[in-house]
Amino acid sequence: MTKKQRALAAVEALKEAYPDATCSLTYQNPLELLIATRLSAQCTDARVNLVTPALFARFPTLQDYLDGSEEEIAELIRSCGLYKTKARDIYAMCRKLADEFGGVVPDTVEALTTLPGVGRKTANLIVGDIYHKPAVVTDTHCIRIAGRLGLTDSKVPLKVEKDLRALLPPEESNDFCHRTVLHGRAVCDARKPKCEICCMQSFCRFAAGASSPTGAKKQKNSGAQPKI
């Protein structure tokens, strides 16, 4: 099976297992998703969703953030971790949106990554979920699963993104990434993947190795992934 064939098989298997491919962050508009995604760095989506209702109620518009302060933002997001840095980025991000983008969240990865605190992962999420353009969001689950499937030999987010863009149908790429998050949480755990119940077991290179005599060693070495 070629990488392309394996990628297409993964798309179909994950689509059947997780028909509802949606972002787990709660938001009502592009700015809220942008801010929620910034908060999710080194923090769970569940925690972010507990924090954002009060934040978004206090700052319902871009101008409200600009009329407020980093300190007030920081206080509302304290439990997300790295809250001072995130508050600084959120305030600066809103300032740049107002000054350079007419208050509108841009629709390209190139423009989005000029915003403070916004990397390619966040930019791809916005481009895919808000503007419905082909996007590849390489979070830790996506990187881990792509590697285990044999779709990439890298753990570097940008390299994985490029590898997946070359293999995935553009119209499926965004949903594929959302589904890898769901699958990573439910089945393909970093430390103890449940290969025996995996919908991709029949064509996954990692699952094939895990069932071999040296599988235990391979499984152990495929654990932690770099933070992105």
Side-chain angles (χ1 to χ4, degrees):
M1 181 179 279
T2 66
K3 283 187 177 181
K4 186 77 170 182
Q5 290 171 328
R6 192 176 295 114
L8 295 176
V11 166
E12 293 306 315
L14 290 173
K15 188 183 296 187
E16 183 174 350
Y18 310 95
D20 299 322
T22 57
C23 178
S24 56
L25 293 169
T26 302
Y27 65 96
Q28 298 295 322
N29 55 59
L31 180 61
E32 289 187 357
L33 179 58
L34 186 63
I35 289 171
T37 308
R38 179 65 189 95
L39 293 176
S40 69
Q42 298 185 40
C43 180
T44 66
D45 289 354
R47 167 56 57 183
V48 173
N49 288 338
L50 291 174
V51 168
T52 51
L55 179 69
F56 296 158
R58 170 61 186 86
F59 302 106
T61 69
L62 181 68
Q63 189 59 50
D64 289 317
Y65 283 98
L66 299 179
D67 291 341
S69 66
E70 290 181 29
E71 291 74 20
E72 189 175 4
I73 295 170
E75 190 59 33
L76 287 167
I77 66 172
R78 181 182 288 268
S79 65
C80 281
L82 302 175
Y83 66 96
K84 291 183 180 180
T85 299
K86 292 176 181 179
R88 182 192 65 211
D89 285 346
I90 289 169
Y91 189 84
M93 175 196 304
C94 290
R95 173 55 62 193
K96 187 161 186 172
L97 285 173
D99 292 346
E100 300 183 25
F101 295 99
V104 178
V105 176
D107 64 352
T108 67
V109 170
E110 293 72 22
L112 284 160
T113 51
T114 68
L115 297 172
V118 176
R120 291 190 67 87
K121 185 180 80 168
T122 297
N124 271 287
L125 183 63
I126 297 295
V127 167
D129 277 32
I130 298 298
Y131 296 108
H132 309 295
K133 296 181 179 181
V136 176
V137 182
T138 51
D139 85 326
T140 54
H141 297 292
C142 182
I143 292 171
R144 179 173 69 254
I145 291 171
R148 286 177 173 175
L149 284 170
L151 304 182
T152 182
D153 295 322
S154 179
K155 294 180 182 179
V156 178
L158 180 56
K159 179 61 167 61
V160 176
E161 179 187 333
K162 290 180 177 179
D163 289 344
L164 291 180
R165 283 186 184 276
L167 296 172
L168 297 171
E171 69 278 9
E172 298 284 0
S173 60
N174 193 49
D175 286 348
F176 173 85
C177 294
H178 281 316
R179 289 178 175 122
T180 59
V181 173
L182 299 174
H183 191 65
R185 290 171 177 167
V187 177
C188 196
D189 182 81
R191 295 184 178 182
K192 295 182 179 180
K194 305 177 183 69
C195 295
E196 68 280 2
I197 63 169
C198 179
C199 60
M200 298 183 287
Q201 179 186 20
S202 63
F203 55 85
C204 176
R205 290 175 61 181
F206 179 86
S211 63
S212 73
T214 58
K217 182 177 181 180
K218 289 183 180 181
Q219 183 169 321
K220 181 177 180 180
N221 290 341
S222 300
Q225 297 292 324
K227 298 285 186 180
I228 61 173

